[in-house]
Amino acid sequence: MAEPSKVIHVRNVGHEISENDLLQLFQPFGVITKLVMLRAKNQALVQMQDVPSAVNVLQYYTNTQPTIRGRNVYIQFSSHQELTTMDQNTHGRGDEPNRILLVTIHQAVYPITVDVLHQVFSPHGFVEKIVTFQKTAGFQALIQYQSRHSAVTARTSLQGRNIYDGCCQLDIQYSNLEELQVNYNNERTRDFTNPSLPAEPKGRSSQPGYADGGGMYPLPTGGAPVAFPQMANHAAIAAAFGGVFPPGITGMNDRCTILVSSLNPDRIDEDKLFNLFSLYGNIVRIKLLRNKPDHALVQMGDGFQAELAVHFLKGITLFGKRLDVNFSRYPQITSGTDTHEYLNSNLNRFNRNAAKNYRYCCSPTKMIHLSTIPQDITEEEIVSHLEEHGTIINTKVFETNGKKQALVLFENEEQATEALVCKNATTLDGCVIRISFSQSQAI
């Protein structure tokens, strides 16, 4: 066996095995600082943060055969004590240094936008263009510098580093492309040499696709956005969740439109759906399906917000019906006479205080919280406003930062949900009240 090294040599790495597969195999043993795929040889080099981490890997897999996607892989210490820039240039997907970089983001816990990428890569030279897209291996981007020297400097400085602490690791290779074509300036594509380009028209994808290193990297078809498409508020998400999403939330969904079925067609309407789904993100538009009266489409502001809504609302009961909430195959809802537009509604909650609103996301509870209520409101008036929707067990009016608020406890979650969808944004003594679910268990 070779002398212990923090670099591990992996053999029998088939073409079906991705960089992310290898990361998942080795990450339980420590931080991975570099990963080089030797595709022509069906091999890979993995550099751990230190020698003890690499030793732990070899010791564990001495008695356990490592497998990836059903294929046995074989590991040993590499003759390299450390991977250098030259090693990566020689063995990377693109052998020849180029001014265009292909960047794969592993463990993309937080949203990565064009602006985030520009902030990371621009210190190393003038970035002309950025194109982002989604692949099976994860979120990817093409970064075009003005000069090849800038691209080489950026790759040397940034390869294997994290954008955020403990996540969003950069895997950088040289692209084989000579020039990126950018038609629109938005969160997914940007031409910094031509700021007058229009934003992307609705319903169209930015780029038809890019080939690199012998493989195609197509953008989602039909205008489907990449992960975290319009989400410029990544800092709010980070602040709300502290880097750890609620159980069941991946943060990697790229579908913005939700199909809701098993609705009660006699009692539901677009505004009631807005009141419910706007707890989890901004609403763009809603459409009740004429040919299926118990079905509706809800388009959220981005994929992360849609994932929150599906996660927290799937299977809830509303108006006596158990709702089925899933992602739609349609990337967006086409505007028309039968759609209700909410994009510019001042009732959307996530345009302000986004971090706070993300933090309060939860499944429906028996307790609802009322805000923006009259300063002289009484518990009796609140009960009178809400009691038609169910049995109210308890109420409490209190003041925070000089503003009156209230908690109302119903007998069950269905009653509380009905009160919320029917009475949110209604007027009480001249005030438009806001209602949300409270995570408190008792008053």
Side-chain angles (χ1 to χ4, degrees):
M1 181 177 291
E3 179 185 351
S5 163
K6 60 183 176 182
V7 181
I8 299 171
H9 181 209
V10 189
R11 295 179 290 115
N12 200 33
V13 180
H15 288 285
E16 76 278 9
I17 295 176
S18 68
E19 292 95 332
N20 199 43
D21 291 329
L22 285 171
L23 288 173
Q24 291 179 9
L25 185 69
F26 290 102
Q27 277 174 340
F29 301 92
V31 176
I32 298 170
T33 58
K34 294 178 183 176
L35 172 62
V36 176
M37 303 294 286
L38 314 180
R39 288 298 189 188
K41 299 180 180 180
N42 283 352
Q43 299 175 15
L45 295 172
V46 179
Q47 180 173 310
M48 307 299 290
Q49 189 175 38
D50 49 40
V51 173
S53 297
V55 170
N56 288 339
V57 174
L58 269 292
Q59 286 179 341
Y60 179 81
Y61 287 120
T62 297
N63 300 316
T64 303
Q65 173 61 54
T67 61
I68 303 177
R69 297 182 182 270
R71 177 191 286 262
N72 289 342
V73 295
Y74 305 96
I75 62 175
Q76 64 188 52
F77 289 118
S78 170
S79 57
H80 296 271
Q81 287 299 310
E82 184 154 355
L83 294 179
T84 65
T85 303
M86 182 172 295
D87 295 325
Q88 296 178 61
N89 287 351
T90 301
H91 301 301
R93 185 175 300 145
D95 293 346
E96 188 68 27
N98 184 18
R99 68 182 182 130
I100 300 178
L101 300 175
L102 172 66
V103 181
T104 302
I105 310 293
H106 298 296
Q107 295 179 291
V109 174
Y110 299 139
I112 306 298
T113 64
V114 163
D115 291 327
V116 171
L117 291 169
H118 187 260
Q119 185 176 355
V120 171
F121 284 87
S122 61
H124 304 283
F126 180 70
V127 175
E128 291 184 334
K129 301 174 182 178
I130 297 178
V131 173
T132 65
F133 46 95
Q134 185 74 19
K135 274 281 289 183
T136 304
F139 184 87
Q140 295 185 313
L142 290 163
I143 315 287
Q144 178 175 314
Y145 278 98
Q146 190 175 50
S147 70
R148 188 174 65 174
H149 174 74
S150 296
V152 172
T153 301
R155 186 174 186 269
T156 302
S157 301
L158 298 174
Q159 170 62 20
R161 295 183 62 181
N162 295 333
I163 296 178
Y164 299 105
D165 288 342
C167 64
C168 301
Q169 186 182 48
L170 296 170
D171 179 12
I172 307 173
Q173 306 288 340
Y174 293 114
S175 167
N176 292 332
L177 296 173
E178 296 182 358
E179 182 76 28
L180 297 183
Q181 180 182 350
V182 174
N183 299 321
Y184 305 103
N185 285 336
N186 52 37
E187 280 89 356
R188 301 188 296 282
T189 65
R190 192 76 54 84
D191 185 345
F192 295 95
T193 68
N194 187 5
S196 62
L197 284 177
E200 174 185 358
K202 288 181 172 56
R204 294 183 57 187
S205 57
S206 299
Q207 311 292 330
Y210 276 99
D212 190 54
M216 286 300 296
Y217 294 84
L219 294 186
T221 58
V226 297
F228 309 110
Q230 304 102 342
M231 194 180 299
N233 57 347
H234 57 278
I237 298 172
F241 297 113
V244 180
F245 289 138
I249 299 295
T250 67
M252 291 301 293
N253 173 61
D254 61 357
R255 293 162 290 182
C256 299
T257 304
I258 298 169
L259 176 65
V260 190
S261 57
S262 298
L263 292 163
N264 186 332
D266 296 325
R267 300 194 62 186
I268 200 67
D269 60 41
E270 292 87 350
D271 288 343
K272 290 186 177 72
L273 285 171
F274 172 88
N275 288 340
L276 181 60
F277 281 82
S278 62
L279 294 171
Y280 308 99
N282 289 335
I283 306 300
V284 177
R285 60 183 60 91
I286 296 176
K287 178 179 181 179
L288 295 176
L289 304 187
R290 293 178 180 175
N291 58 337
K292 295 181 179 179
D294 63 338
H295 284 57
L297 292 171
V298 179
Q299 183 177 337
M300 307 289 291
D302 56 55
F304 180 75
Q305 295 176 353
E307 185 179 15
L308 289 175
V310 170
H311 176 75
F312 286 119
L313 295 178
K314 183 184 287 288
I316 72 163
T317 302
L318 177 63
F319 299 133
K321 298 286 188 176
R322 188 174 185 273
L323 303 190
D324 195 6
V325 183
N326 292 292
F327 298 109
S328 170
R329 61 189 177 91
Y330 297 104
Q332 62 182 25
I333 303 172
T334 303
S335 296
T337 56
D338 54 350
T339 60
H340 281 225
E341 301 292 325
Y342 294 96
L343 180 62
N344 298 317
S345 172
N346 59 6
L347 296 176
N348 271 318
R349 302 171 187 249
F350 288 74
N351 292 324
R352 293 179 298 176
N353 300 321
K356 181 184 72 173
N357 286 306
Y358 280 124
R359 196 179 302 119
Y360 291 159
C361 287
C362 64
S363 297
T365 65
K366 300 177 185 178
M367 185 99 68
I368 58 174
H369 174 264
L370 283 69
S371 59
T372 64
I373 58 178
Q375 286 295 105
D376 57 351
I377 193 76
T378 64
E379 292 186 16
E380 290 74 18
E381 289 173 307
I382 291 174
V383 170
S384 177
H385 193 63
L386 299 174
E387 63 184 350
E388 65 178 295
H389 303 293
T391 303
I392 295 176
I393 304 300
N394 200 359
T395 61
K396 178 183 179 181
V397 176
F398 59 98
E399 190 170 308
T400 302
N401 297 327
K403 297 180 179 179
K404 280 290 181 68
Q405 302 180 47
L407 290 172
V408 179
L409 179 63
F410 280 87
E411 190 174 46
N412 56 50
E413 290 84 356
E414 182 181 359
Q415 294 174 1
T417 303
E418 179 179 321
L420 184 149
V421 302
C422 292
K423 292 297 166 61
N424 179 64
T426 56
T427 301
L428 184 59
D429 289 345
C431 295
V432 178
I433 63 174
R434 291 290 188 99
I435 305 178
S436 58
F437 293 115
S438 173
Q439 298 179 30
S440 302
Q441 299 300 310
I443 297 178

